[in-house]
Amino acid sequence: MISRIPSLNGLKAFESAARHMSFTKAADELNVTQTAISHQIRRLEEELGVRLFLRLKDGLALTREGQAYFPGVCSAFQELRYCTETLLETCSHSVLTISTLVSVASKWLLPRLASFQQAFPKIDVRVTASTELVDFRKTGIDAAIRYGSGDWKGLRADWLMADEIFPVCSPRLLEGPDALKSPADLASHTLLQVSGMTHGDWNTWLAAAGQPTKLAEGTRLTFDLAMMAVQAAVDGLGVCIGRTTYVDDDLKTGRLVAPFDLKLKSDLGFYLVSPHATADEQKVQAFRGWLLEQVKSSNRPTINDFR
């Protein structure tokens, strides 16, 4: 019993010659001489201690041992060919995995993602939505869009955009006897808000508008996700305290309106976050450049507006 794999050159010559039943055709396929094929097979036979071919006057024939050996060798080379094709296909179509907040994905990123695929057709994008910070080393995430102050330790954080905070509602709420005409009219409407980091937005805006914060303690609906609060506003269930990123597209289409002029600039913002080790990979750079261009074309406020 041999304790190692026989000569790969010999195995390759054997597999090709047995498949074609011809040293000449095997030589053409492997781009070597017929003599080289003959020598490689002979050395393989010596290494194995068995004859694999019968050299007949009218051609070749596999010995009983060769017939038994060929299917396994052939299968192994087919598997190698398949694995190689899969590898090359993966390399030519890079997979970019992006993590982001659910509301950012549904309300901002996904409606724009088609243009990235058109610009970079060889990059396959996978979007995973989560409210939790990702562990880049364990999850295989390439980059993440996150909301905060940009001070994530050990990560590169590229500024994308800031939010403005302001109420939004269905156009229907601007009509009728309880129509919204001034911030004081909010007392007659259900206030929609989001729990978590932005749960204090109503209090902040009401204080800036000169209204008692107790208005935020009246009838209200609280949601875990901003997209749910925004949809509730679209459906006319109340007035949502909106943030630009989540409501901009609905404002442009007229599904929502901003009943008041007062808009507050948030101290926090959105960042593209990536590990330093992979931040300069071609696929991550491509996504970063595209993302910054999307932010610019959206006419969003940038960091320079807050200096």
Side-chain angles (χ1 to χ4, degrees), residues 226-266:
M227 60 180 291
M228 297 170 64
V230 172
Q231 186 58 50
V234 171
D235 294 338
L237 298 183
V239 184
C240 177
I241 185 66
R243 285 179 171 253
T244 316
T245 306
Y246 302 135
V247 302
D248 197 41
D249 285 348
D250 289 313
L251 289 171
K252 289 178 179 178
T253 60
R255 290 189 294 268
L256 291 175
V257 294
F260 314 118
D261 293 332
L262 178 62
K263 297 182 179 180
L264 304 181
K265 294 176 180 178
S266 173

Short mmCIF file of all heavy atoms in Angstrom, two decimals, residues 226-266:
data_model
loop_
_atom_site.label_atom_id
_atom_site.label_comp_id
_atom_site.label_asym_id
_atom_site.label_seq_id
_atom_site.Cartn_x
_atom_site.Cartn_y
_atom_site.Cartn_z
N ALA A 226 -38.51 51.91 12.13
CA ALA A 226 -38.92 53.17 11.54
C ALA A 226 -39.82 52.95 10.34
O ALA A 226 -40.77 53.72 10.11
CB ALA A 226 -37.69 53.98 11.14
N MET A 227 -39.55 51.91 9.56
CA MET A 227 -40.36 51.67 8.36
C MET A 227 -41.81 51.40 8.72
O MET A 227 -42.72 51.76 7.97
CB MET A 227 -39.79 50.50 7.56
CG MET A 227 -39.74 49.18 8.31
SD MET A 227 -39.05 47.82 7.32
CE MET A 227 -40.35 47.61 6.11
N MET A 228 -42.06 50.80 9.88
CA MET A 228 -43.43 50.55 10.31
C MET A 228 -44.12 51.85 10.71
O MET A 228 -45.30 52.07 10.38
CB MET A 228 -43.43 49.56 11.48
CG MET A 228 -42.87 48.19 11.13
SD MET A 228 -42.60 47.14 12.59
CE MET A 228 -44.28 46.95 13.18
N ALA A 229 -43.39 52.73 11.39
CA ALA A 229 -43.95 54.01 11.77
C ALA A 229 -44.26 54.85 10.54
O ALA A 229 -45.30 55.51 10.47
CB ALA A 229 -42.99 54.75 12.70
N VAL A 230 -43.35 54.83 9.57
CA VAL A 230 -43.56 55.59 8.34
C VAL A 230 -44.77 55.06 7.58
O VAL A 230 -45.60 55.83 7.07
CB VAL A 230 -42.29 55.54 7.47
CG1 VAL A 230 -42.55 56.15 6.09
CG2 VAL A 230 -41.15 56.27 8.16
N GLN A 231 -44.91 53.74 7.50
CA GLN A 231 -46.05 53.17 6.80
C GLN A 231 -47.36 53.52 7.51
O GLN A 231 -48.38 53.77 6.86
CB GLN A 231 -45.90 51.65 6.69
CG GLN A 231 -46.97 50.98 5.84
CD GLN A 231 -47.01 51.51 4.43
OE1 GLN A 231 -45.98 51.58 3.76
NE2 GLN A 231 -48.19 51.90 3.95
N ALA A 232 -47.32 53.55 8.83
CA ALA A 232 -48.51 53.94 9.58
C ALA A 232 -48.91 55.37 9.25
O ALA A 232 -50.10 55.70 9.15
CB ALA A 232 -48.27 53.79 11.07
N ALA A 233 -47.91 56.24 9.06
CA ALA A 233 -48.20 57.63 8.66
C ALA A 233 -48.78 57.68 7.26
O ALA A 233 -49.73 58.42 7.00
CB ALA A 233 -46.92 58.46 8.75
N VAL A 234 -48.22 56.90 6.35
CA VAL A 234 -48.74 56.84 4.98
C VAL A 234 -50.21 56.40 5.00
O VAL A 234 -51.04 56.91 4.24
CB VAL A 234 -47.90 55.88 4.11
CG1 VAL A 234 -48.57 55.65 2.76
CG2 VAL A 234 -46.50 56.44 3.92
N ASP A 235 -50.53 55.48 5.89
CA ASP A 235 -51.90 54.95 5.99
C ASP A 235 -52.84 55.88 6.74
O ASP A 235 -54.02 55.56 6.91
CB ASP A 235 -51.88 53.58 6.67
CG ASP A 235 -51.17 52.53 5.83
OD1 ASP A 235 -51.08 52.72 4.61
OD2 ASP A 235 -50.72 51.52 6.42
N GLY A 236 -52.31 57.01 7.22
CA GLY A 236 -53.17 57.99 7.88
C GLY A 236 -53.48 57.69 9.33
O GLY A 236 -54.46 58.23 9.88
N LEU A 237 -52.67 56.87 9.98
CA LEU A 237 -52.94 56.49 11.37
C LEU A 237 -52.50 57.56 12.36
O LEU A 237 -52.84 57.47 13.55
CB LEU A 237 -52.26 55.17 11.70
CG LEU A 237 -52.71 53.95 10.89
CD1 LEU A 237 -52.02 52.70 11.38
CD2 LEU A 237 -54.23 53.79 10.96
N GLY A 238 -51.71 58.52 11.92
CA GLY A 238 -51.24 59.56 12.82
C GLY A 238 -50.10 60.35 12.19
O GLY A 238 -49.85 60.25 10.99
N VAL A 239 -49.42 61.12 13.03
CA VAL A 239 -48.30 61.96 12.59
C VAL A 239 -47.02 61.32 13.09
O VAL A 239 -46.85 61.11 14.29
CB VAL A 239 -48.44 63.39 13.13
CG1 VAL A 239 -47.31 64.27 12.57
CG2 VAL A 239 -49.80 63.97 12.76
N CYS A 240 -46.11 61.06 12.18
CA CYS A 240 -44.84 60.40 12.52
C CYS A 240 -43.75 61.44 12.67
O CYS A 240 -43.67 62.39 11.88
CB CYS A 240 -44.49 59.39 11.42
SG CYS A 240 -42.90 58.57 11.66
N ILE A 241 -42.92 61.26 13.68
CA ILE A 241 -41.72 62.09 13.77
C ILE A 241 -40.68 61.46 12.86
O ILE A 241 -40.14 60.39 13.14
CB ILE A 241 -41.22 62.24 15.22
CG1 ILE A 241 -40.06 63.22 15.31
CG2 ILE A 241 -40.91 60.90 15.86
CD1 ILE A 241 -40.45 64.64 14.97
N GLY A 242 -40.47 62.05 11.71
CA GLY A 242 -39.67 61.42 10.66
C GLY A 242 -38.22 61.83 10.68
O GLY A 242 -37.84 62.84 11.28
N ARG A 243 -37.42 61.04 10.03
CA ARG A 243 -36.02 61.36 9.76
C ARG A 243 -35.82 61.26 8.25
O ARG A 243 -36.36 60.37 7.60
CB ARG A 243 -35.08 60.42 10.52
CG ARG A 243 -35.01 60.77 12.00
CD ARG A 243 -34.10 59.84 12.78
NE ARG A 243 -33.90 60.34 14.14
CZ ARG A 243 -32.78 60.90 14.58
NH1 ARG A 243 -31.75 61.02 13.78
NH2 ARG A 243 -32.69 61.35 15.82
N THR A 244 -35.00 62.17 7.73
CA THR A 244 -34.86 62.32 6.29
C THR A 244 -34.67 61.00 5.56
O THR A 244 -35.33 60.73 4.56
CB THR A 244 -33.66 63.24 5.97
OG1 THR A 244 -33.68 64.36 6.84
CG2 THR A 244 -33.70 63.70 4.53
N THR A 245 -33.78 60.18 6.06
CA THR A 245 -33.44 58.94 5.37
C THR A 245 -34.65 58.04 5.18
O THR A 245 -34.77 57.35 4.17
CB THR A 245 -32.36 58.18 6.17
OG1 THR A 245 -31.26 59.05 6.38
CG2 THR A 245 -31.89 56.95 5.42
N TYR A 246 -35.56 58.05 6.14
CA TYR A 246 -36.68 57.14 6.10
C TYR A 246 -37.89 57.68 5.35
O TYR A 246 -38.76 56.90 4.93
CB TYR A 246 -37.11 56.77 7.52
CG TYR A 246 -36.01 56.16 8.36
CD1 TYR A 246 -35.79 56.58 9.67
CD2 TYR A 246 -35.19 55.18 7.84
CE1 TYR A 246 -34.78 56.01 10.44
CE2 TYR A 246 -34.18 54.62 8.59
CZ TYR A 246 -33.98 55.04 9.90
OH TYR A 246 -32.98 54.48 10.63
N VAL A 247 -37.99 58.99 5.21
CA VAL A 247 -39.23 59.56 4.65
C VAL A 247 -39.02 60.29 3.33
O VAL A 247 -39.99 60.68 2.69
CB VAL A 247 -39.88 60.53 5.67
CG1 VAL A 247 -40.17 59.81 6.98
CG2 VAL A 247 -39.01 61.76 5.91
N ASP A 248 -37.77 60.47 2.91
CA ASP A 248 -37.50 61.31 1.74
C ASP A 248 -38.23 60.81 0.49
O ASP A 248 -38.85 61.60 -0.23
CB ASP A 248 -35.99 61.37 1.49
CG ASP A 248 -35.62 62.52 0.58
OD1 ASP A 248 -36.19 63.61 0.73
OD2 ASP A 248 -34.75 62.33 -0.29
N ASP A 249 -38.15 59.53 0.22
CA ASP A 249 -38.78 59.01 -1.00
C ASP A 249 -40.30 59.15 -0.94
O ASP A 249 -40.95 59.45 -1.95
CB ASP A 249 -38.40 57.54 -1.21
CG ASP A 249 -36.97 57.41 -1.73
OD1 ASP A 249 -36.39 58.43 -2.12
OD2 ASP A 249 -36.44 56.28 -1.72
N ASP A 250 -40.90 58.94 0.25
CA ASP A 250 -42.35 59.09 0.39
C ASP A 250 -42.77 60.54 0.24
O ASP A 250 -43.86 60.83 -0.26
CB ASP A 250 -42.80 58.54 1.74
CG ASP A 250 -42.72 57.02 1.80
OD1 ASP A 250 -43.18 56.37 0.85
OD2 ASP A 250 -42.21 56.49 2.80
N LEU A 251 -41.91 61.48 0.66
CA LEU A 251 -42.21 62.89 0.46
C LEU A 251 -42.17 63.26 -1.02
O LEU A 251 -43.01 64.01 -1.51
CB LEU A 251 -41.21 63.76 1.24
CG LEU A 251 -41.34 63.75 2.76
CD1 LEU A 251 -40.16 64.46 3.40
CD2 LEU A 251 -42.65 64.42 3.20
N LYS A 252 -41.19 62.70 -1.74
CA LYS A 252 -41.06 63.00 -3.16
C LYS A 252 -42.24 62.48 -3.97
O LYS A 252 -42.64 63.09 -4.96
CB LYS A 252 -39.75 62.41 -3.69
CG LYS A 252 -38.50 63.13 -3.18
CD LYS A 252 -37.24 62.48 -3.71
CE LYS A 252 -36.00 63.21 -3.22
NZ LYS A 252 -34.73 62.56 -3.68
N THR A 253 -42.79 61.35 -3.56
CA THR A 253 -43.91 60.77 -4.30
C THR A 253 -45.26 61.33 -3.84
O THR A 253 -46.28 61.03 -4.46
CB THR A 253 -43.93 59.24 -4.14
OG1 THR A 253 -44.07 58.91 -2.75
CG2 THR A 253 -42.64 58.62 -4.68
N GLY A 254 -45.26 62.09 -2.75
CA GLY A 254 -46.51 62.66 -2.27
C GLY A 254 -47.29 61.77 -1.33
O GLY A 254 -48.39 62.13 -0.91
N ARG A 255 -46.72 60.60 -0.98
CA ARG A 255 -47.42 59.74 -0.02
C ARG A 255 -47.41 60.37 1.36
O ARG A 255 -48.28 60.10 2.19
CB ARG A 255 -46.77 58.35 0.01
CG ARG A 255 -47.00 57.53 -1.24
CD ARG A 255 -46.51 56.10 -1.05
NE ARG A 255 -45.07 56.03 -0.88
CZ ARG A 255 -44.21 55.85 -1.88
NH1 ARG A 255 -44.66 55.74 -3.11
NH2 ARG A 255 -42.91 55.78 -1.65
N LEU A 256 -46.39 61.18 1.63
CA LEU A 256 -46.28 61.91 2.88
C LEU A 256 -46.07 63.39 2.59
O LEU A 256 -45.57 63.76 1.51
CB LEU A 256 -45.13 61.39 3.73
CG LEU A 256 -45.24 59.98 4.33
CD1 LEU A 256 -43.95 59.61 5.03
CD2 LEU A 256 -46.42 59.89 5.29
N VAL A 257 -46.40 64.21 3.57
CA VAL A 257 -46.10 65.65 3.49
C VAL A 257 -45.51 66.07 4.83
O VAL A 257 -45.73 65.42 5.86
CB VAL A 257 -47.36 66.48 3.19
CG1 VAL A 257 -47.90 66.17 1.80
CG2 VAL A 257 -48.44 66.24 4.25
N ALA A 258 -44.75 67.15 4.80
CA ALA A 258 -44.21 67.74 6.02
C ALA A 258 -45.08 68.96 6.34
O ALA A 258 -45.00 69.98 5.66
CB ALA A 258 -42.76 68.15 5.83
N PRO A 259 -45.94 68.87 7.35
CA PRO A 259 -46.91 69.95 7.61
C PRO A 259 -46.30 71.23 8.17
O PRO A 259 -46.92 72.29 8.11
CB PRO A 259 -47.88 69.32 8.60
CG PRO A 259 -47.08 68.27 9.31
CD PRO A 259 -46.13 67.74 8.28
N PHE A 260 -45.09 71.14 8.70
CA PHE A 260 -44.45 72.31 9.31
C PHE A 260 -43.06 72.51 8.72
O PHE A 260 -42.42 71.59 8.24
CB PHE A 260 -44.36 72.14 10.83
CG PHE A 260 -45.64 71.63 11.45
CD1 PHE A 260 -45.67 70.41 12.11
CD2 PHE A 260 -46.81 72.37 11.36
CE1 PHE A 260 -46.83 69.94 12.68
CE2 PHE A 260 -47.99 71.90 11.91
CZ PHE A 260 -48.01 70.68 12.57
N ASP A 261 -42.59 73.76 8.81
CA ASP A 261 -41.29 74.10 8.22
C ASP A 261 -40.11 73.74 9.11
O ASP A 261 -38.99 73.58 8.63
CB ASP A 261 -41.23 75.61 7.91
CG ASP A 261 -42.19 76.02 6.81
OD1 ASP A 261 -42.50 75.16 5.96
OD2 ASP A 261 -42.64 77.17 6.82
N LEU A 262 -40.34 73.61 10.40
CA LEU A 262 -39.23 73.40 11.34
C LEU A 262 -38.62 72.01 11.16
O LEU A 262 -39.31 71.00 11.29
CB LEU A 262 -39.72 73.56 12.78
CG LEU A 262 -38.66 73.30 13.87
CD1 LEU A 262 -37.51 74.29 13.75
CD2 LEU A 262 -39.31 73.37 15.26
N LYS A 263 -37.32 72.00 10.88
CA LYS A 263 -36.57 70.75 10.76
C LYS A 263 -35.31 70.87 11.61
O LYS A 263 -34.58 71.86 11.51
CB LYS A 263 -36.21 70.46 9.30
CG LYS A 263 -37.42 70.25 8.41
CD LYS A 263 -37.01 69.92 6.98
CE LYS A 263 -38.24 69.68 6.10
NZ LYS A 263 -37.87 69.35 4.70
N LEU A 264 -35.06 69.86 12.41
CA LEU A 264 -33.90 69.87 13.30
C LEU A 264 -32.79 69.00 12.72
O LEU A 264 -33.05 67.91 12.22
CB LEU A 264 -34.29 69.35 14.68
CG LEU A 264 -35.43 70.06 15.41
CD1 LEU A 264 -35.64 69.41 16.77
CD2 LEU A 264 -35.14 71.54 15.54
N LYS A 265 -31.58 69.48 12.82
CA LYS A 265 -30.42 68.71 12.36
C LYS A 265 -29.96 67.79 13.48
O LYS A 265 -29.74 68.23 14.61
CB LYS A 265 -29.30 69.64 11.94
CG LYS A 265 -29.64 70.48 10.72
CD LYS A 265 -28.54 71.47 10.38
CE LYS A 265 -28.91 72.29 9.16
NZ LYS A 265 -27.88 73.30 8.84
N SER A 266 -29.81 66.51 13.15
CA SER A 266 -29.40 65.53 14.15
C SER A 266 -27.90 65.58 14.37
O SER A 266 -27.12 65.88 13.46
CB SER A 266 -29.80 64.12 13.69
OG SER A 266 -29.27 63.14 14.55
#
